[in-house]
Amino acid sequence: MSKNRKLGRPTDQRRAMLRAMVTYLLENGQIKTTYARAKEVAPVAEKMITLAKHNTLASYRQALAFITKEDVAKKLFTEIGPKYAERNGGYTRVVKIGPRRGDAAEMAIIQLV
């Protein structure tokens, strides 16, 4: 991820927000957010799933360093990783759902395929 969107936040807040959103996505399978945020979350979530496919202690610890809940990391390695074992990338889908009512921000749903 060489060129990131700043999403109107300082680096630490942006990183914390991405961690929270990736954790929530892996926990629930889909989240509703703005299109720009969804496009930032997708590659990070894909990296986490790729780590889960390796299923080594080192990759588990790497994932745990990013994901904020331990039970979500467990779920990632026991359920989500094996589910995508045959698939080479493209684990997430971003679907536009039109503008938000308050500020007309383009909204999207990001989900695990």
Side-chain angles (χ1 to χ4, degrees), residues 39-58:
K39 283 185 74 165
E40 281 300 299
V41 167
V44 185
E46 304 249 347
K47 279 192 181 81
M48 291 298 120
I49 294 171
T50 304
L51 279 176
K53 283 171 63 176
H54 297 307
N55 204 3
T56 61
L57 182 60

Side-chain angles (χ1 to χ4, degrees), residues 12-89:
D12 57 338
Q13 288 179 15
R14 185 169 57 245
R15 191 174 296 129
M17 182 187 70
L18 285 175
R19 285 179 66 180
M21 288 176 83
V22 168
T23 303
Y24 196 75
L25 172 64
L26 295 172
E27 190 175 26
N28 298 311
Q30 75 170 32
I31 50 176
K32 183 176 165 187
T33 181
T34 63
Y35 185 60
R37 284 183 187 177
K39 283 185 74 165
E40 281 300 299
V41 167
V44 185
E46 304 249 347
K47 279 192 181 81
M48 291 298 120
I49 294 171
T50 304
L51 279 176
K53 283 171 63 176
H54 297 307
N55 204 3
T56 61
L57 182 60
S59 61
Y60 181 73
R61 286 176 175 165
Q62 256 183 306
L64 207 53
F66 191 81
I67 293 170
T68 55
K69 296 180 182 172
E70 204 169 322
D71 55 329
V72 175
K74 238 180 216 96
K75 178 185 176 186
L76 175 66
F77 278 77
T78 55
E79 296 169 32
I80 300 171
K83 183 176 145 191
Y84 294 115
E86 300 303 308
R87 195 178 177 111
N88 297 322

Side-chain angles (χ1 to χ4, degrees), residues 1-7 11 14 18 40 43-44:
M1 290 180 7
S2 55
K3 195 94 169 103
N4 291 6
R5 289 172 185 79
K6 292 216 168 118
L7 302 174
T11 309
R14 185 169 57 245
L18 285 175
E40 281 300 299
V44 185

Side-chain angles (χ1 to χ4, degrees), residues 83-111:
K83 183 176 145 191
Y84 294 115
E86 300 303 308
R87 195 178 177 111
N88 297 322
Y91 315 116
T92 56
R93 174 190 302 141
V94 177
V95 183
K96 285 186 178 181
I97 54 171
R100 179 161 58 193
R101 190 156 167 218
D103 57 1
E106 186 66 52
M107 296 300 284
I109 292 176
I110 179 168
Q111 51 196 188

